[in-house]
Amino acid sequence: MGPLSPARTKRLWGPRSLGVALGVFMTIGFVLQLWGGPFQRRLRQPWIPSLGPAAASPCLPRQRLVFLKTHKSGSSSVLNLLHRYGDRHGLRFALPARYQFGYPRLFQASRVKGYHPQGGGTQPPFHILCHHMRFNLKEVLQVMPSDSFFFSIVRDPAALARSAFSYYKSTSSAFRKAPSLAVFLANPRAFYRPGARGDHYARNLLWFDFGLPFPPEMRTKRENPHLLKDPSPLQLHVLPSGTGPRAQILGPKSHFQPVSTVANGHSQPDSPASLDLVSSTFIQWALAWLDSIFDLVMVAEYFDESLVLLADALCWGLDDVVGFMHNAQAGGEQGLNAASNGRLNAEDRQLTTRARAWNNLDWALYRHFNRSLWARIEQYGQRRLERAVAELRARREALANHCLVGGEALDPKFITNRKLRPFQFGAAKVLGYVLQSGLSPQDQEECERLATPELQYKDKLDAKQFPPTVSLPLKPSRLLSP
């Protein structure tokens, strides 16, 4: 951008701008207090791709992990591989008393089963924190060491909105009042009320799950009846982890090469920004803060590519990240494939544009981490990645054919084993798996791990980690003679 002239400096830092800047820094100061200071955690180290299996000095597998399980983003599938890895290696999970850590409230260390504050008694360390929570770094660091590997997953807000509307229609008051997602997005403020029960599911759900506060403008102008018209509301200039030139969106024909908003080396201008300087600066600061905390943010639309990068970053083998899709809704995969292949009709394209505009903070978050992912892929090597993804998919297909009836997910009506039947919630059916008969005991155990839904697996880990105490029978008291 070059040095600023005195006149330009004066324009940028006039009385109004200074007031805006003061508002930003006051807000940031409040957030730092809320989070206990983001830099309590050692800033993550720059990621360097491994040299592969032929490396002279093999790395050591990472086993202290913090996974922020975001909603409706493919996170249940990631949770399954963490459950399996920890189960096989005897690692200790930081578990909630039930299935979530007090969500939608911010995470509190006191909600971890078996957690004792410092000085409250000795306890073995936790290795993995991975169940639903609203991220709260200060409290997470009470439970997990600061050098843990922090990671999460994001999804295109348009795809997330379709899934969330179906799944949370009975939970969110905004969704419940709307007859369809298209009607909701045509005039969302007719249904949405900030702070209403369950309405955090209806707007900027990723931003909410990451524990980020909302920018000042959105807190002061929530009653603006006009829907934001810009699906890309601001041009972000925060450098992602591993800077790259792309701002990726789903590609119509290329699996590995998303459509870029960069053409001929020049950035394509976005529509005029709909957020003011306070919000823009605040969003950029929030994204930079997340970059300093999270070692990797996966992207649901490039799930297998993300798994390969995850295995590489953790120094795990591909077999450690091979698994089946979990908590998938019937019909959801077809919709995702249509979107990724550019087969959306005009009505769906309009819905996509409106969903991204309504969830503008999530769209900024998604674009940022999508760009980061592809910068990381360039570092890893795209051809190398293609080979690893092909191997990953071949192993998954072989496991599915060996373990599963039909080799794929099935309607829950076919699943009679309660240990394998996923929890049914929302309008769409949640698919699950039926195991082949005649498996060897060893294969039966591994196939069950692959197919076990998250709630049942959490219960299994809970029973393993906190075995029920067996009370010894009381000795009969000696009868006194009269």
Side-chain angles (χ1 to χ4, degrees), residues 20-345:
V20 167
L22 179 61
V24 172
F25 290 121
M26 288 176 66
T27 304
I28 290 175
F30 168 76
V31 175
L32 290 176
Q33 288 184 3
L34 174 67
W35 279 327
F39 298 106
Q40 284 186 14
R41 180 185 181 229
R42 174 188 57 79
L43 292 182
R44 64 173 181 79
Q45 298 300 310
W47 172 77
I48 301 174
S50 70
L51 300 177
S57 301
C59 52
L60 295 175
R62 301 285 297 270
Q63 295 188 335
R64 295 293 178 88
L65 313 172
V66 175
F67 174 58
L68 175 60
K69 187 180 186 297
T70 53
H71 287 79
K72 312 313 299 173
S73 300
S75 60
S76 294
S77 304
V78 180
L79 189 67
N80 177 262
L81 71 87
L82 293 175
H83 281 166
R84 288 184 286 118
Y85 185 90
D87 193 13
R88 281 197 306 267
H89 291 83
L91 304 184
R92 193 165 184 259
F93 287 82
L95 297 172
R98 291 181 60 79
Y99 299 105
Q100 300 184 359
F101 290 107
Y103 188 89
R105 292 180 290 276
L106 287 166
F107 174 82
Q108 295 292 321
S110 60
R111 292 187 176 274
V112 175
K113 191 172 181 178
Y115 167 75
H116 303 289
Q118 292 181 354
T122 58
Q123 65 178 7
F126 293 110
H127 295 94
I128 301 176
L129 173 64
C130 59
H131 292 86
H132 270 313
M133 63 174 163
R134 189 177 181 210
F135 190 66
N136 182 1
L137 179 64
K138 179 181 178 181
E139 290 291 313
V140 167
L141 292 177
Q142 299 296 315
V143 178
M144 301 296 297
S146 62
D147 62 350
S148 299
F149 185 90
F150 283 62
F151 71 112
S152 188
I153 185 168
V154 296
R155 185 181 187 184
D156 186 324
L160 192 154
R162 290 178 172 91
S163 180
F165 185 85
S166 171
Y167 198 78
Y168 296 115
K169 186 164 176 58
S170 63
T171 305
S172 166
S173 61
F175 287 162
R176 189 165 55 246
K177 290 180 287 188
S180 69
L181 180 60
V183 172
F184 173 79
L185 290 173
N187 186 16
R189 294 189 186 279
F191 308 99
Y192 175 80
R193 294 292 178 268
R197 184 176 180 85
D199 276 6
H200 60 281
Y201 292 117
R203 190 179 192 194
N204 292 315
L205 180 55
L206 289 173
W207 192 271
F208 184 88
D209 283 355
F210 274 94
L212 297 168
F214 289 87
E217 180 178 277
M218 293 190 70
R219 293 201 297 268
T220 58
K221 298 183 180 180
R222 283 176 182 251
E223 299 309 314
N224 179 3
H226 302 292
L227 172 66
L228 295 174
K229 296 180 180 180
D230 182 15
S232 304
L234 64 154
Q235 181 71 33
L236 299 175
H237 297 288
V238 177
L239 295 181
S241 50
T243 309
R246 298 181 185 147
Q248 323 298 352
I249 307 175
L250 290 178
K253 295 183 179 179
S254 172
H255 186 73
F256 289 96
Q257 200 78 344
V259 174
S260 175
T261 57
V262 175
N264 300 322
H266 301 286
S267 297
Q268 298 300 303
D270 284 334
S271 307
S274 58
L275 300 180
D276 64 11
L277 177 61
V278 174
S279 293
S280 176
T281 303
F282 189 91
I283 292 169
Q284 292 185 50
W285 172 84
L287 296 175
W289 183 82
L290 291 178
D291 272 342
S292 75
I293 301 303
F294 285 87
D295 298 281
L296 173 68
V297 176
M298 305 167 66
V299 175
E301 283 73 16
Y302 302 102
F303 190 74
D304 289 345
E305 293 85 346
S306 296
L307 287 179
V308 170
L309 295 178
L310 177 66
D312 184 74
L314 296 179
C315 196
W316 290 7
L318 276 185
D319 285 332
D320 293 320
V321 297
V322 172
F324 304 146
M325 194 62 67
H326 282 267
N327 208 33
Q329 296 173 285
E333 188 66 25
Q334 291 89 330
L336 179 60
N337 289 339
S340 62
N341 292 326
R343 297 198 304 267
L344 296 178
N345 57 35

